Amino acid sequence: MTKLAQWLWGLALLGSTWAALTMGPTLGLELPLTCREVLWPLPAYLLVTVGCFALGTVGYRVATFHDCEDAALELQTQIQEARADLVRKGLLF
Amino acid sequence: MASVGVSRSLPRSRRDPEERGSRRDKFSVLLPTYNERENLPLIVWLLVKSFTESGFNYEIIIIDDGSPDGTREVAEQLENIFGSDKILLRPREKKLGLGTAYIHGMKHATGNYIIIMDADLSHHPKFIPEFIRKQKEGNFDIVSGTRYKGNGGVYGWDLKRKIISRGANFITQVLLRPGASDLTGSFRLYRKEVLQKLIEKCVSKGYVFQMEMIVRARQLNYTIGEVPISFVDRVYGESKLGGNEIVSFLKGLLTLFATT
Ligand SMILES: Nc1nc2c(ncn2[C@@H]2O[C@H](COP(=O)(O)OP(=O)(O)OP(=O)(O)O)[C@@H](O)[C@H]2O)c(=O)[nH]1
Ligand SMILES: [Mg+2]
């Protein structure tokens, strides 16, 4: 199964569960009114939550992306060293 | 007693590699180059230094695609300096792309492990001994460098590039669940036969090619180890990350999403 198919299956499963519960009364399934009031906008809430989670995660990871100052410095000194040694070995840059 | 203390305090990499059973192993480093005249001597020097210190058996295969800046001429000088058993030149006449450069280089590789890295100094050879250690530790088929874990990181990226990189990585992780944290990096160690199999299967180009390799690896149940690396953006030469790259990345991602 492709990743796309897995996603479609997952969404279809969630979607149909939600539909069955909100359509409950027509199917003869009685849920308390408060329950139905929460259930109705649930997908919208879910979408917003997921979106916030995604933005939060990416934001946090951007903020904590490690800046390798040391590695850059070390590379610079090694480049000098390499150049000197290569010239000694007869390389014409 | 004293001698035990001394041998213990020696860094691992200085000890006889035979001790770790890697005497028979040989590591072929594939260096594809296009206009890397400035960088090539430096990366080769660093590679030789790293391998000399760690004592592993190696060869460096340079695949130059007819660079107009004279990279090939520099490569020939390097071959003379370091010896044609260590530096192998396998040039091609014109720019035919990275994917086929790897295939071309691999045909000439005599090692049982292949290391793929960029020649632009963004991948530092000092990590190679860590890759090898990691591979031994878990007997992995692939060891991938990662900028996104542990002490890994980048240097020389502005905020925009960081956001694009982290964003793209997040979407990729969510959609593909690939089992490795750095999909677009190209600093990796492969068992030779594994790389051969993977390259046969991969069809995409550019950044997506690196990503597809990992996705196919997961499909084929190959094991992947990871080593945090620092990625220092190229010092010499042109860099390119434009709108085009992003669009083709997204296209490739969606193709993999729908087909694997
Ligand atoms: N043989 C060969 N090498 C190539 C070709 N295109 C790129 N390369 C080399 O492949 C490596 C990676 O290419 P880069 O241009 O650094 O690509 P990148 O890292 O995605 O992008 P920047 O570093 O930001 O420019 C470098 O060593 C290049 O010299 C090609 O068509 N043929
Ligand atoms: Mg690069």
Side-chain angles (χ1 to χ4, degrees):
Chain A
M1 191 155 61
T2 66
K3 283 281 173 285
L4 176 64
Q6 289 177 12
W7 272 84
L8 290 178
W9 269 109
L11 287 178
L13 206 71
L14 276 178
S16 51
T17 313
W18 174 79
L21 289 176
T22 42
M23 310 288 182
T26 45
L27 301 173
L29 186 82
E30 248 351 293
L31 279 173
L33 189 68
T34 48
C35 230
R36 264 184 288 145
E37 267 172 357
V38 176
L39 211 55
W40 175 239
L42 199 64
Y45 287 144
L46 213 63
L47 212 66
V48 172
T49 312
V50 168
C52 287
F53 173 74
L55 283 181
T57 310
V58 171
Y60 176 77
R61 287 180 180 173
V62 168
T64 56
F65 212 157
H66 194 197
D67 270 308
C68 307
E69 309 273 346
D70 302 348
L73 274 176
E74 184 197 34
L75 182 63
Q76 280 311 321
T77 53
Q78 284 178 335
I79 286 176
Q80 303 307 323
E81 214 181 309
R83 278 181 180 279
D85 189 49
L86 284 164
V87 167
R88 202 160 43 238
K89 291 192 160 100
L91 184 87
L92 305 166
F93 274 90
Chain B
M1 270 322 247
S3 72
V4 172
V6 169
S7 83
R8 220 180 246 155
S9 67
L10 271 177
R12 249 199 112 118
S13 56
R14 287 287 165 80
R15 286 197 228 149
D16 187 358
E18 203 172 3
E19 197 180 305
R20 279 169 282 157
S22 32
R23 183 69 189 266
R24 286 148 278 121
D25 289 338
K26 182 168 180 181
F27 299 87
S28 301
V29 180
L30 301 190
L31 277 185
T33 57
Y34 189 76
N35 287 345
E36 302 288 4
R37 189 193 168 85
E38 294 275 347
N39 292 316
L40 186 63
L42 305 173
I43 188 79
V44 167
W45 189 87
L46 287 169
L47 275 165
V48 171
K49 177 178 146 90
S50 166
F51 275 111
T52 309
E53 283 173 3
S54 64
F56 293 108
N57 196 5
Y58 73 102
E59 64 185 2
I60 301 169
I61 302 178
I62 300 171
I63 307 119
D64 184 60
D65 273 5
S67 307
D69 75 341
T71 306
R72 180 163 170 188
E73 189 258 326
V74 172
E76 278 159 9
Q77 290 190 50
L78 291 166
E79 185 186 23
N80 290 331
I81 292 174
F82 293 107
S84 51
D85 55 328
K86 292 294 178 224
I87 313 283
L88 286 72
L89 306 190
R90 297 294 178 262
R92 301 186 298 176
E93 283 314 309
K94 59 177 196 287
K95 194 173 193 311
L96 296 169
L98 262 183
T100 56
Y102 294 139
I103 298 176
H104 181 77
M106 206 165 48
K107 269 191 236 147
H108 303 279
T110 60
N112 52 336
Y113 290 94
I114 309 267
I115 292 161
I116 282 182
M117 65 193 295
D118 292 353
D120 61 2
L121 293 178
S122 38
H123 298 152
H124 198 296
K126 72 182 170 190
F127 294 110
I128 291 177
E130 289 180 40
F131 280 38
I132 296 172
R133 209 173 302 141
K134 187 79 191 179
Q135 192 283 326
K136 299 264 171 294
E137 185 187 301
N139 197 22
F140 293 110
D141 296 312
I142 303 168
V143 175
S144 174
T146 177
R147 295 162 287 185
Y148 302 114
K149 258 191 185 169
N151 285 326
V154 293
Y155 179 80
W157 283 15
D158 57 10
L159 188 64
K160 184 181 146 205
R161 184 138 186 214
K162 283 184 181 173
I163 292 174
I164 293 174
S165 172
R166 280 298 200 183
N169 186 261
F170 179 80
I171 298 173
T172 311
Q173 293 296 335
V174 169
L175 293 187
L176 301 180
R177 276 172 283 132
S181 59
D182 195 339
L183 281 275
T184 50
S186 50
F187 193 3
R188 293 178 189 154
L189 179 152
Y190 297 85
R191 281 184 209 280
K192 190 181 186 190
E193 64 282 7
V194 168
L195 182 61
Q196 232 144 12
K197 191 98 178 259
L198 285 174
I199 281 190
E200 260 169 45
K201 296 222 159 215
C202 288
V203 291
S204 34
K205 303 252 178 305
Y207 284 114
V208 184
F209 174 75
Q210 306 297 347
M211 187 156 84
E212 185 177 0
M213 297 270 264
I214 292 292
V215 172
R216 302 276 174 213
R218 182 205 60 200
Q219 277 186 322
L220 296 169
N221 290 322
Y222 289 134
T223 53
I224 305 171
E226 292 194 294
V227 171
I229 58 160
S230 52
F231 177 100
V232 178
D233 215 8
R234 61 160 71 241
V235 190
Y236 304 102
E238 288 286 299
S239 179
K240 36 143 189 62
L241 178 77
N244 264 348
E245 305 273 314
I246 297 172
V247 171
S248 62
F249 172 82
L250 285 177
K251 269 192 203 155
L253 174 61
L254 291 180
T255 310
L256 287 176
F257 179 57
T259 57
T260 66

